[in-house]
Each structure stands twice: as C-alpha cells, then as structure tokens.
Amino acid sequence: MSWIGNVIAAVGAYKAGKYNKELFDRQAALNRNAMERKKAVYNKIEKPRLLKQQKAAYSDFFVNLLRSGAEFRPGTTTFFVTQEFKVNQATDLAIADYNLTTDLTNMENQSLLLEAKGDQAMMQGVLTAASEGAKAYAGAQKNKRDTGSLLG
C-alpha cells in the first residue's frame, strides 16, 4: 500500500515544481517591468533634466566668458576652453546613457537567471515525480505479485 504514498509524492513534486517555476517567472516579469520603468524615468525625467542643467551651465559659462572681455574666436584660448566645456558635457551625457544601458542589461540578466531557476525547479519537480511514479508502479506490481491485489 506504500505505493499510494509514492503517487501522492509524485503529484506533490510536480505541483511544487510548477508552482516554483511560476513564481520565478513572475519575479522575472517584475524585474522586466522595473527595467521598463527605469528606462522611462531616465528618458522622460532624468535625461531632459540633465540636458536642461547642461544648457543652463553652458549659458552661465558663456556669459561669464563674454563678461571677462576676452576675445572669443576660433583658435583662441577662450574658444578651446568652450570646446572643452562642451566635450565634458557630452561626456557626462554619454556616461549617464552608458550607466542606464548597463543597469538595464544587469536587470535583464537577473530576469534570465530567475527564469532559468524556474526551469530548474520545474525539471526537479518532473524528475522527482517520475521517480516517485516509478516507485509507485514497482510497489503496486510487487503487491499484485505477492498478494494478487494492488492494495496488498
């Protein structure tokens, strides 16, 4: 009669594996949603704010440059300083874009790892169910052979 316990264990193992897979898949989906929110916040709020700050900083810089009375034309120190200022601003923006891309890649990788854990949990459930099913079958056959009845 112990084979009935094996059947119950097989069903339980399969259900547990399926539940765990669904749980990991939901966690991965939540990560992807967070990734999309982060991307939207950057593109709609953070990047425009950074560009606005850079524009204001450049305006202040340029007004101060003109107030200094220094001549501003190509080939002069003031021109090169202005170019360096613009390059630094472009570098800051490129770094912010790179950081976003890196963060999004890390979040996607975490989602993929969670899905893989879910697949592993499901496979573990299926293999345990198969093992318990085989034990149940062997136990039932033994009972039938020994007593003539599956119930023993």
Side-chain angles (χ1 to χ4, degrees):
M1 193 93 114
S2 69
W3 65 271
I4 294 174
N6 295 114
V7 170
I8 293 170
V11 171
Y14 178 79
K15 295 274 189 185
K18 185 176 176 185
Y19 173 80
N20 287 335
K21 177 168 178 34
E22 290 171 359
L23 182 66
F24 282 119
D25 287 347
R26 277 185 286 198
Q27 287 176 332
L30 288 173
N31 271 14
R32 287 197 175 95
N33 287 341
M35 185 174 75
E36 290 304 316
R37 284 192 309 272
K38 183 176 184 114
K39 186 177 180 181
V41 166
Y42 177 77
N43 288 327
K44 293 179 182 177
I45 297 171
E46 292 179 13
K47 188 173 183 177
R49 185 176 51 84
L50 177 62
L51 291 171
K52 186 177 178 182
Q53 287 174 347
Q54 286 184 340
K55 186 176 179 180
Y58 179 74
S59 294
D60 290 342
F61 166 80
F62 195 68
V63 167
N64 288 335
L65 183 71
L66 293 177
R67 281 188 184 162
S68 73
E71 187 176 3
F72 183 79
R73 61 187 164 97
T76 63
T77 300
T78 53
F79 176 79
F80 293 130
V81 168
T82 303
Q83 294 299 0
E84 181 182 7
F85 190 86
K86 288 290 217 175
V87 166
N88 288 340
Q89 285 188 326
T91 302
D92 289 342
L93 183 60
I95 289 170
D97 288 343
Y98 172 79
N99 288 340
L100 173 70
T101 301
T102 301
D103 289 346
L104 295 178
T105 300
N106 287 339
M107 293 173 87
E108 178 62 23
N109 287 342
Q110 288 301 315
S111 296
L112 292 171
L113 287 172
L114 286 169
E115 287 177 344
K117 284 181 180 180
D119 292 342
Q120 183 268 334
M122 184 65 193
M123 182 56 72
Q124 183 179 4
V126 167
L127 291 175
T128 302
S131 170
E132 291 297 324
K135 284 187 214 174
Y137 179 76
Q141 291 303 314
K142 182 179 182 308
N143 282 350
K144 187 174 182 182
R145 185 183 64 242
D146 292 348
T147 65
S149 168
L150 290 178
L151 300 177

